[in-house]
Amino acid sequence: PMRRYVDIKQCLSTWKDVIIPGHTDYARIQYMKLHNKRSAERRLLMTFHGRAPDSHGAYGDCAVRGHLMKLGESHGLSEGVDIGGFVGDYLERKGDSHFCLVP
């Protein structure tokens, strides 16, 4: 019943839902391409690694990042959720993930 009152549309819109990282030099692009897996081979649903309210004072008001960290704590790699602080192999993880969260 509720569906007849709601206009359901495809939610992906490439003009706003695809983000190109701010610092992407040629060598970094080549490295990301090297680790970019085909969709069927990717193990992770989503990934985010960076600063959050509990890890850096300047991010105290970033509630979304705080909620993401809690999501990462409650769901783990076995569920395809890879969320946490900075890691050395982030580009490899991005290539193994369907979605890279950008809060």
Side-chain angles (χ1 to χ4, degrees):
M2 182 62 162
R3 185 174 179 143
R4 85 179 126 176
Y5 301 111
V6 179
D7 189 13
I8 306 294
K9 297 179 181 177
Q10 182 180 4
C11 62
L12 176 66
S13 179
T14 55
W15 69 270
K16 66 174 182 62
D17 293 333
V18 176
I19 298 172
I20 298 173
H23 176 70
T24 313
D25 58 38
Y26 181 77
R28 191 173 176 100
I29 291 170
Q30 297 309 310
Y31 191 79
M32 287 191 287
K33 284 182 174 181
L34 180 68
H35 295 285
N36 185 29
K37 295 182 179 180
R38 295 180 43 188
S39 183
E41 297 170 354
R42 295 179 183 194
R43 299 174 305 121
L44 301 171
L45 174 63
M46 66 181 83
T47 187
F48 167 73
H49 285 274
R51 291 191 174 102
D54 291 340
S55 66
H56 194 280
Y59 290 80
D61 293 331
C62 296
V64 171
R65 288 183 178 214
H67 292 304
L68 281 176
M69 293 300 178
K70 289 177 185 171
L71 179 70
E73 293 169 4
S74 63
H75 301 283
L77 289 174
S78 62
E79 297 181 48
V81 177
D82 182 34
I83 296 173
F86 286 107
V87 292
D89 63 341
Y90 189 49
L91 296 179
E92 291 89 337
R93 294 177 188 217
K94 285 173 68 169
D96 197 20
S97 180
H98 290 279
F99 300 98
C100 173
L101 304 177
V102 186

